[in-house]
Amino acid sequence: MFGDMEGMMAKLKEAQAKIEETKNRLNTVLVDGDAGNGMVIATVTANREVKNIAIDDELLTDKEALEDYLILALNNAIEKANNINEAEMAAAAKGGLPDIPGMDMFK
């Protein structure tokens, strides 16, 4: 019914390994998001882990503005990281999946 079951299982294991490799690599891809013309810069990995936040000294006296800019910078960085993550994971999954009828979700 499904043809070469061993071949499909090997392809699935290969896809799983490729996905894990991609996840590990995405931990090294850094993405910056900024707000307030660079007054706050948030750096996250493509796996959406916050690595650094840089704040201009001028903002240290304005708590409300600092909070607003932090939220904007983090959301900006996370959105960029999501886009990279989704594209890379889809490519990793697509390249290793066997051809199973009805399972063309990555094409």
Side-chain angles (χ1 to χ4, degrees):
M1 178 168 125
F2 286 114
D4 178 21
M5 195 63 123
E6 279 185 40
M8 283 194 297
M9 293 304 289
K11 270 230 176 228
L12 285 173
K13 284 186 180 192
E14 183 181 314
Q16 187 177 23
K18 199 175 228 182
I19 288 169
E20 283 303 313
E21 180 182 310
T22 300
K23 283 181 185 177
N24 290 333
R25 186 176 52 76
L26 290 175
N27 280 328
T28 66
V29 175
L30 299 178
V31 181
D32 286 337
D34 72 284
N37 292 321
M39 294 185 83
V40 174
I41 300 172
T43 304
V44 300
T45 69
N47 280 329
R48 299 167 300 268
E49 181 181 332
V50 177
K51 289 296 189 177
N52 189 53
I53 296 176
I55 301 168
D56 188 292
D57 289 341
E58 189 177 315
L59 279 176
L60 297 178
T61 59
D62 188 348
K63 181 180 184 274
E64 191 173 309
L66 175 57
E67 290 170 344
D68 290 344
Y69 286 150
L70 274 171
I71 291 168
L72 291 171
L74 283 167
N75 283 336
N76 182 263
I78 290 169
E79 181 180 349
K80 289 177 183 178
N82 274 336
N83 291 339
I84 293 169
N85 187 288
E86 288 174 7
E88 292 290 324
M89 294 304 285
K94 180 180 178 182
L97 289 178
D99 291 325
I100 300 173
M103 298 293 287
D104 58 352
M105 64 186 118
F106 293 108
K107 293 183 179 178

